[in-house]
Structures are given as structure tokens and as C-alpha cells.
Amino acid sequence: MESTHTHHQVAASVQRLQSQFGAAPEVAVVLGSGWSDATLQVQDGTALSYAELPGFPRPRVEGHVAEVLVGRLAGPTGVQRVAMLRGRAHTYETGDCAGMNVALRSLKAWGVKVLVLTNASGSLRPHMPAGSLMLITDHINAPQRSPLTGEQGSERFVDMAHAYDLELRAHAVKVARRSQLALGQGVYVWAQGPQFETPAEIRMFAAWGADAVGMSTVPETIAARHAGLRVMGLALMTNMAAGLSTEALTHALTLQQAKASGQRAAQFLAEVVAGMSELESIRS
Ligand code: HPA
């Protein structure tokens, strides 16, 4: 059960999505830093501002794009309709880690089946330098905060054992092989930010078994699993994590590296999503 307020927002947003775009696409993507080039691959796209969608995140930076873009992605093996969410709420903006709940629940209620979460991350592994892509196999919720705090009912006790869908992971690996792209795989650890981590924190995360660190994705995966969406996570390494290189960490570096690798990341994302049209479990 969810609060009446949330429930109304979801109902209103679904109605708006439906009247703008018609039936839901099977797949939705949340575009993180460095992934926005993926919108260039969308054919026959139409957009709807988050401002029209009750409960969707409000952009905090003036002029920042905050919209849903719906269209088709064509790949070598098929065409897939997709909804791209440009702009996400980060916990570090307000302290609220439930800022994407309504958006994700609305996608599910509209009829979306698969959610692809993308982000920019710091790498904890020398074999994944800046520019590398990593398929998320599992995560560590370091702050131990939940977007489900306050939820009622037994569904809130979400099984997180296979949060990152095995069939979708196998699919991404297959697409990477076909494209001869080196796709890393590993564990993503959520650090709330907005400050970067200390070298001591990074050594601790590495000892825990983390391979990449970032400030998003985990609350969304939890909310999406609670909503019943299948989840895939793709991380773009924009830097070596704190203490692992002599380079000072800045947001400018993140954006610069994201831009440098963004085209390849976007191309891969488009191929992965387009290829989902082959998957029986998504088509039917
Ligand atoms: N730490 C946290 N978040 C990040 C990083 C990082 O090193 N790089 C990009 N996002």
C-alpha cells in the first residue's frame, strides 16, 4: 500500500503518459551523466516535460532537461519502443532518497516491464579505467537508507537477491560480445554524496567487494523492484575512485570524461535496448 498522495500522483501521471504516448513501451531507461547521447538514437521521438507529470522530479538546475522521451530504437536485430527519462532526483539534492518513487511506480502502472538504470561512477578496479562500461551485477547500499521507509504491507520486504535481472544481464553480455565491446561486470556501491569519498572509504568499499562507486541508482533499483519492474544497471566509469589515482576529483572531470565516452556508451545502450525486442519474456 502506498500513501493516498502518492497514489493520486501515480494515477494522474499514468493518465498523462497514456494520453501523450498511448500504450506503454516495454522498456524505460533512466539516463544518467554521460548517457544523454542515447536520445540522439531515438527515432520518431516525442517528449513530455516532467512538469506535466505529478510527482516526477523537479529539476534543480535552471535549463536542465527534465522530460520523458518516447520513441523507437533500431538495432541490427530488431526495433524496440522505449521511454527515456532525462533527469533524475538524487538523494544529495534534498536528503530524500524516495524522489524517483512516483516516476518509477508510474512507469510500472503505465505498463513498462523493464527499467534500465544508467549512471556515471568512480572505478575501484584498475582493469576498468575511465571510459569503461560496467554491467551492475549487484549493489551495496552503504548509507543503509531506503526509499521504502514508511511503506505498509508485506511487499515492502523486497527480496534483493536477484535485483539485477539475470536474463537481462545475459542479454547485455551477448550484445557486448557481438559489438566487441569490453563490458566489465561488478558490484556498485552507493555513496550518498554530494562530496566525493575519502581514500579510506574507497579502501573500505574495495574490501567489501565493490567495483564501482556512485551517488545514484541504488534507491531506484529498490523502488523499482518493489514496484515489480525488472532492472538492468549500466555504469560508465568517469574516473578512478579517490586515492586510486593522482587526479583530483571534480564534477567537471566527471562531465568531461562522461562526454568523452558518452557516444560509445549511448551506442551500446541503444543496441542493448533495441535487442530486447528479441527477448520472449519482454515481447509477450
Ligand atoms: N564517486 C562517486 N560518484 C561518482 C564518482 C566517484 O568517484 N565518479 C562519478 N560519480
Side-chain angles (χ1 to χ4, degrees):
M1 243 179 27
E2 55 202 14
S3 79
T4 316
H5 183 54
T6 299
H7 192 76
H8 280 120
Q9 287 182 323
V10 170
S13 287
V14 171
Q15 200 161 53
R16 194 70 190 82
L17 288 165
Q18 221 144 25
S19 68
Q20 179 81 8
F21 303 117
E26 292 81 3
V27 182
V29 181
V30 176
L31 293 174
S33 312
W35 294 87
S36 58
D37 278 4
T39 58
L40 305 175
Q41 317 250 2
V42 174
Q43 301 174 358
D44 305 322
T46 50
L48 181 63
S49 166
Y50 285 0
E52 306 255 346
L53 297 164
F56 275 56
R58 295 289 163 255
R60 291 182 185 265
V61 187
E62 204 56 51
H64 227 244
V65 186
E67 64 179 25
V68 183
L69 174 68
V70 176
R72 291 180 298 122
L73 285 172
T77 57
V79 176
Q80 176 64 54
R81 254 181 107 228
V82 66
M84 291 192 170
L85 272 65
R86 311 179 69 186
R88 66 169 19 125
H90 294 90
T91 305
Y92 60 70
E93 294 169 42
T94 59
D96 178 14
C97 64
M100 292 295 284
N101 283 18
V102 169
L104 300 181
R105 286 169 189 176
S106 299
L107 292 177
K108 172 66 183 179
W110 184 22
V112 168
K113 295 176 186 168
V114 168
L115 180 70
V116 182
L117 297 170
T118 64
N119 66 52
S121 298
S123 172
L124 276 67
R125 302 296 173 197
H127 72 267
M128 292 193 302
S132 308
L133 290 173
M134 187 187 92
L135 177 66
I136 301 176
T137 57
D138 201 350
H139 76 220
I140 298 173
N141 180 352
Q144 283 292 292
R145 298 194 54 210
S146 176
L148 305 181
T149 301
E151 289 296 319
Q152 302 292 313
S154 52
E155 298 81 26
R156 73 184 127 165
F157 301 106
V158 181
D159 183 0
M160 295 296 292
H162 303 287
Y164 298 90
D165 191 282
L166 275 166
E167 188 192 8
L168 299 180
R169 277 159 54 190
H171 169 69
V173 169
K174 197 170 118 186
V175 172
R177 283 216 185 98
R178 196 172 60 203
S179 317
Q180 298 188 306
L181 179 123
L183 179 65
Q185 295 193 49
V187 174
Y188 174 89
V189 59
W190 175 35
Q192 193 174 298
Q195 75 286 351
F196 284 107
E197 303 71 38
T198 64
E201 286 166 347
I202 293 301
R203 287 194 297 274
M204 177 185 74
F205 289 155
W208 284 0
D211 301 294
V213 58
M215 303 178 194
S216 68
T217 305
V218 166
E220 293 160 24
T221 297
I222 295 168
R225 291 304 299 142
H226 179 249
L229 291 160
R230 296 171 69 187
V231 174
M232 170 186 282
L234 291 170
L236 169 62
M237 303 304 121
T238 54
N239 54 277
M240 293 308 294
L244 299 181
S245 98
T246 53
E247 202 161 34
L249 296 184
T250 61
H251 188 53
L253 174 68
T254 299
L255 295 181
Q256 180 199 324
Q257 187 52 243
K259 200 167 170 186
S261 322
Q263 214 175 348
R264 208 164 36 87
Q267 178 64 38
F268 176 63
L269 174 62
E271 279 176 36
V272 167
V273 172
M276 284 180 181
S277 59
E278 298 169 72
L279 299 177
E280 198 75 49
S281 62
I282 292 174
R283 250 197 333 241
S284 52

